[in-house]
């Protein structure tokens, strides 16, 4: 099958045609052949999310691999890394292989499972890291996300063991002893609202400890969802020291702040919590100066039963796949004056590199045809109704720039004119 994308703009600003043959980008040059009119659209390598919760197996009322994959395609993603906090936990090869198989059967994007660092996410004994790496799922990223690997000796051992197969530990940085019962960011607003505070030091202390372990072991460490100005400074310090450390930020921590908690609307309840305005500004600056490497959505769907209740009883988490690109366009392009090449690095190239995914994060002749085409001039009101099974979307009713018009996964259109396609195997 052959497709020609006519008149697309590349990340470097050049306007040309892109020819796809089968699953491969066959040419990037003007051609006399007819094709799909893509005038005004920017072609980017398909997005890669290193931090997605697909909930299956175990929590299918909130999300399935299929519904999450459709949501990902709608957001321009051609690969997602699925977190391990499922039921059963992805701490064995057979669970990882199940998730990968469900993703392949869905066909909307590559679904790469993340293995848990510890068995059952209990933080007491390491998972079979080598077995997960050797499985057909070829797991390279490990995380207990939702929980912190708090035991320092276990964390050190995990960092040492993943070096053998070029793996990476993705840490949810949260000192559990400092956050017992915490409900929102610690500070005057938490006191005013009568909610238990979540101190910044709970995040920053763990990042500093782990950065030192990464330096000592010379192993790869990825920091999930930074939220504080202090955490940015710790990452900056660790990179200057030569640590193999990368960091992500979520769309919601870039633009939303703790002030929204005044509403007591549980849609704003998230782990780690929304922080102060000065923290959000520090995160935006870190995206612009390169301290933060990638945008990770922490797409965390929850059913209405878990979210539409009193604040204290509501689950932590927000969905994020379908609007992440628009948030980054606002921060990076419209407010920051940065380039689409930098955008592609944050959303695609660098995440693929961290996860060691092949066939992702590239836009060149001979590469796998994984592409996202964006209309940068569009402005849209984000909708509650999504392709996800859950609607805990904090950006609903918000106007954001940009829209994913087409998504192409392995040469196949999964989204056409903003409509997710029905795939037949």
């Amino acid at each position: 099958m052959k497709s020609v994308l006519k008149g697309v703009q590349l990340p470097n600003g050049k306007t040309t045609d892109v020819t796809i043959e089968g699953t491969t980008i066959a040419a990037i040059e003007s051609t006399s052949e007819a094709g799909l009119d893509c005038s005004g659209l920017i072609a980017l390598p398909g997005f890669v999310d290193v931090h997605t919760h697909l909930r299956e197996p175990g929590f299918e009322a909130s999300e399935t691999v299929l519904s999450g994959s459709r949501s990902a395609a709608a957001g321009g993603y051609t690969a997602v890394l699925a977190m391990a906090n499922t039921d059963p936990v992805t701490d064995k090869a057979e669970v990882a292989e199940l998730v990968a198989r469900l993703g392949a059967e869905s066909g909307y994007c590559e679904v790469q499972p993340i293995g848990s660092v510890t068995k059952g996410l209990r933080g007491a004994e390491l998972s079979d890291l080598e077995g997960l790496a050797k499985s057909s799922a070829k797991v390279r990223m490990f995380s207990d996300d939702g929980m912190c690997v708090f035991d320092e000796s276990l964390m050190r051992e995990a960092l040492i063991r993943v070096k053998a197969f070029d793996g990476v530990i993705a840490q949810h940085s949260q000192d559990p002893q400092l956050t017992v019962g915490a409900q929102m960011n610690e500070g005057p607003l938490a006191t005013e609202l009568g909610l238990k505070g979540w101190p910044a030091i709970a995040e920053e202390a763990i990042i500093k400890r782990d950065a030192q372990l990464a330096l000592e072991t010379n192993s790869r460490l990825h920091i999930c969802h930074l939220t504080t100005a202090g955490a940015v400074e710790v990452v900056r310090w660790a990179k200057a020291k030569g640590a193999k450390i990368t960091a992500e930020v979520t769309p919601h921590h870039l633009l939303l702040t703790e002030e929204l908690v005044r509403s007591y609307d549980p849609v704003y309840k998230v782990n780690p919590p929304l922080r102060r305005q000065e923290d959000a500004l520090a995160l935006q600056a870190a995206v612009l100066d390169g301290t933060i490497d990638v945008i990770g959505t922490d797409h965390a769907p929850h059913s209405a039963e878990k979210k539409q209740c009193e604040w204290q009883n509501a689950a932590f988490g927000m969905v994020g796949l379908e609007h992440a690109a628009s948030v980054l366009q606002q921060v990076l392009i419209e407010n920051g004056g940065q380039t689409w090449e930098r955008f592609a690095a944050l959303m695609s190239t660098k995440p693929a590199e961290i996860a060691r995914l092949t066939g992702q994060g590239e836009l060149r002749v001979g590469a796998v045809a994984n592409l996202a085409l964006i209309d940068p001039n569009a402005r849209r009101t984000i909708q509650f109704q999504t392709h996800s099974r859950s609607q805990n979307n904090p950006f609903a009713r918000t106007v954001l720039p940009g829209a994913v018009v087409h998504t192409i996964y392995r040469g196949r259109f999964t989204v056409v004119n903003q409509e997710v396609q029905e795939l037949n195997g």
Side-chain angles (χ1 to χ4, degrees):
M1 183 176 176
K2 186 174 184 178
S3 302
V4 180
L5 311 177
K6 301 291 291 184
V8 298
Q9 179 184 324
L10 301 178
N12 63 10
K14 180 182 177 182
T15 298
T16 187
D17 303 332
V18 174
T19 302
I20 297 169
E21 291 188 2
T23 61
T24 304
I25 298 173
I28 304 177
E29 60 184 8
S30 296
T31 173
S32 59
E33 292 188 73
L36 179 66
D37 182 8
C38 295
S39 303
L41 304 183
I42 298 175
L44 299 163
F47 306 147
V48 176
D49 187 16
V50 296
H51 195 144
T52 302
H53 296 272
L54 293 179
R55 304 302 191 202
E56 188 178 11
F59 305 103
E60 289 82 356
S62 297
E63 196 75 287
T64 65
V65 172
L66 175 59
S67 64
S69 296
R70 287 172 61 89
S71 187
Y77 287 89
T78 55
V80 297
L81 281 290
M83 278 295 174
N85 56 344
T86 50
D87 185 14
V89 171
T90 311
D91 57 6
K92 300 180 181 66
E94 51 264 38
V95 182
E97 290 169 347
L98 169 65
V99 173
R101 178 173 59 77
L102 290 171
E105 291 173 354
S106 299
Y108 285 93
C109 62
E110 180 176 354
V111 175
Q112 174 63 41
I114 293 174
S116 68
V117 180
T118 67
K119 291 182 178 178
L121 308 176
R122 291 187 290 271
E125 183 181 359
L126 290 182
S127 302
D128 181 9
L129 307 180
E130 292 79 7
L132 285 157
K134 292 176 182 175
S135 72
S136 63
K138 295 182 173 56
V139 176
R140 290 295 179 273
M141 181 174 275
F142 298 85
S143 180
D144 278 5
D145 185 60
M147 309 287 285
C148 178
V149 182
F150 187 53
D151 186 302
E152 187 171 317
S153 62
L154 274 182
M155 187 65 181
R156 181 172 183 268
E157 184 180 350
L159 286 165
I160 292 171
R161 283 172 54 178
V162 299
K163 284 179 64 177
F165 48 82
D166 197 22
V168 59
I169 302 296
Q171 175 70 294
H172 176 120
S173 303
Q174 176 192 343
D175 185 327
Q177 296 177 344
L178 292 173
T179 53
V180 175
Q183 294 287 314
M184 67 169 291
N185 182 48
E186 184 179 79
L189 183 60
T191 303
E192 177 186 335
L193 298 179
L195 295 173
K196 178 73 180 295
W198 193 306
I201 191 65
E203 176 175 322
E204 295 158 7
I206 294 295
I207 295 174
K208 186 173 182 181
R209 183 204 74 177
D210 290 346
Q212 290 175 316
L213 289 173
L215 276 167
E216 189 252 343
T217 60
N218 194 32
S219 188
R220 292 202 296 135
L221 170 70
H222 178 70
I223 305 299
C224 299
H225 40 48
L226 259 70
T227 68
T228 74
V232 169
E233 289 304 315
V234 175
V235 170
R236 199 169 276 143
W237 165 83
K239 287 190 171 188
K241 286 287 186 180
K244 294 178 179 176
I245 185 172
T246 53
E248 73 184 37
V249 67
T250 71
H252 46 273
H253 288 114
L254 278 174
L255 287 188
L256 307 182
T257 71
E258 64 173 4
E259 283 297 319
L260 293 162
V261 182
R262 285 186 183 279
S263 67
Y264 288 104
D265 184 342
V267 77
Y268 301 117
K269 185 175 180 180
V270 65
N271 176 359
L274 300 178
R275 302 289 190 178
R276 306 165 303 166
Q277 178 69 20
E278 48 265 51
D279 292 306
L281 293 175
L283 294 168
Q284 292 174 21
V287 168
L288 296 177
D289 72 18
T291 302
I292 288 177
D293 303 89
V294 300
I295 305 300
T297 68
D298 194 7
H299 176 81
H302 287 296
S303 64
E305 180 184 15
K306 292 183 177 178
K307 210 60 177 170
Q308 293 177 9
C309 52
E310 292 182 354
W311 178 280
Q312 295 278 6
N313 297 323
F316 292 94
M318 304 168 168
V319 297
L321 287 167
E322 295 178 34
H323 51 259
S326 290
V327 172
L328 184 61
Q329 181 177 332
Q330 180 161 318
V331 171
L332 193 76
I333 306 293
E334 299 204 351
N335 298 345
Q338 296 285 308
T339 66
W340 287 100
E341 289 175 311
R342 175 82 179 122
F343 185 103
L346 284 156
M347 290 289 287
S348 183
T349 311
K350 190 64 179 181
E353 178 187 323
I354 292 170
R356 297 294 191 256
L357 296 184
T358 58
Q360 300 284 350
E362 299 179 302
L363 204 176
R364 61 172 176 80
V365 175
V368 179
N370 292 321
L371 299 169
L373 279 77
I374 288 183
D375 179 358
N377 297 315
R379 295 196 76 82
R380 59 181 178 134
T381 301
I382 304 299
Q383 303 295 317
F384 269 112
Q385 188 65 43
T386 70
H387 300 281
S388 170
R389 284 195 171 185
S390 298
Q391 298 186 25
N392 48 313
N393 185 353
F395 287 98
R397 296 190 290 266
T398 302
V399 177
L400 290 174
V404 174
V405 178
H406 308 300
T407 305
I408 302 169
Y409 172 53
R410 296 185 62 79
R412 188 182 199 183
F413 282 80
T414 56
V415 175
V416 177
N417 293 325
Q418 302 186 46
E419 295 291 332
V420 175
Q421 302 298 289
E422 297 301 324
L423 304 181
N424 299 312

